[in-house]
């Protein structure tokens, strides 16, 4: 098969290669981008062996599991939080996981916490709006989308995301 190498780490690197655990994370992401999740998991776990406090490796493992639709041990991201990674991104990941599982109340909590940590996150406003829409709270959803739009005025990506949202919405008045 193909050999991927990032910062001197490859599939064939020996166990005694002394590298920063970040190289393993980058390699794990490369595998995930190719849809090679098992290999990605293996490399990310190796990165954790090299540096057990590497919260990013745990977070990337969480993303792998979420993308595959697997049930995730919530302890994985709780461990990330315990390591001091109390960032908006972490809560967004948890929010997406709960949203995918249709656990909207928990997803709402996560995106609200993400917004607490980063009030300029248009993504969190959009995702929270989508959750409200799923619960038929369209006025609240529209207000959140407006906030997201205000944050990133002129950014085409926001309009594309909103267009998809409005097309998927089951409101015949739109």
């Amino acid at each position: 098969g193909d050999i991927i190498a990032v910062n001197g780490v490859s599939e064939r690197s020996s166990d005694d290669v002394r590298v920063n655990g970040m190289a393993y994370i980058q390699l794990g992401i490369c595998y995930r981008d190719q849809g090679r999740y098992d290999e990605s998991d293996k490399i990310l776990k190796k990165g954790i062996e090299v540096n057990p406090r590497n919260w990013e490796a745990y977070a990337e493992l969480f993303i792998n599991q979420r993308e595959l639709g697997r049930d995730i041990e919530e302890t994985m991201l709780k461990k990330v939080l315990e390591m001091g990674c109390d960032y908006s991104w972490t809560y967004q990941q948890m929010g997406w996981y709960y949203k995918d599982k249709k656990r909207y109340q928990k997803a709402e909590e996560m995106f609200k916490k993400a917004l607490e940590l980063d009030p300029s996150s248009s993504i969190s406003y959009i995702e929270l709006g989508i959750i409200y829409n799923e619960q038929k709270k369209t006025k609240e959803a529209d207000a959140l989308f407006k906030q997201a739009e205000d944050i990133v005025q002129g950014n085409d990506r926001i309009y594309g995301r909103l267009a998809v949202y409005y097309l998927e919405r089951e409101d015949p008045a739109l």
Side-chain angles (χ1 to χ4, degrees):
D2 298 336
I3 301 295
I4 299 173
V6 177
N7 295 335
V9 178
S10 76
E11 294 175 85
R12 295 186 181 158
S13 291
S14 64
D15 289 341
D16 63 348
V17 172
R18 298 237 179 236
V19 296
N20 182 332
M22 291 303 296
Y24 289 103
I25 292 170
Q26 295 303 315
L27 184 55
I29 291 169
C30 286
Y31 281 131
R32 179 176 61 230
D33 289 347
Q34 295 177 6
R36 297 164 67 179
Y37 288 93
D38 290 338
E39 291 160 290
S40 176
D41 285 353
K42 179 179 155 190
I43 290 295
L44 290 168
K45 288 175 183 174
K46 183 128 179 122
I48 291 169
E49 286 176 28
V50 169
N51 180 2
R53 302 256 332 133
N54 193 337
W55 66 266
E56 290 174 292
Y58 287 100
E60 295 299 335
L61 279 170
F62 181 89
I63 292 170
N64 284 0
Q65 301 310 304
R66 185 176 60 80
E67 287 185 5
L68 289 171
R70 294 179 181 160
D71 282 331
I72 299 170
E73 291 183 41
E74 292 177 33
T75 55
M76 192 182 301
L77 270 183
K78 286 181 183 174
K79 186 171 186 88
V80 170
L81 293 172
E82 289 168 8
M83 290 180 185
C85 180
D86 193 23
Y87 301 126
S88 173
W89 179 89
T90 307
Y91 290 98
Q92 286 174 340
Q93 294 300 321
M94 293 171 75
W96 282 314
Y97 170 71
Y98 290 123
K99 186 180 93 171
D100 292 347
K101 297 292 182 186
K102 300 194 182 316
R103 293 177 58 190
Y104 296 124
Q105 184 175 356
K106 193 72 174 164
E108 181 180 339
E109 288 174 29
M110 295 299 110
F111 284 112
K112 283 182 176 179
K113 180 66 177 177
L115 283 169
E116 237 178 76
L117 295 169
D118 181 7
S120 67
S121 172
S122 60
I123 291 170
S124 294
Y125 282 107
I126 290 170
E127 294 299 331
L128 193 52
I130 291 169
I131 290 165
Y132 283 163
N133 184 63
E134 289 292 323
Q135 298 174 59
K136 307 296 185 215
K137 300 176 185 177
T138 54
K139 287 182 183 178
E140 293 93 334
D142 289 344
L144 288 164
F145 289 131
K146 176 69 174 127
Q147 284 181 280
E149 184 179 7
D150 289 346
I151 290 170
V152 292
Q153 288 180 349
N155 183 326
D156 293 345
R157 289 180 61 201
I158 186 81
Y159 299 112
R161 184 64 190 106
L162 290 175
V164 169
Y165 161 72
Y166 285 119
L167 287 171
E168 292 175 348
R169 194 153 138 182
E170 297 176 11
D171 187 345
L174 291 176

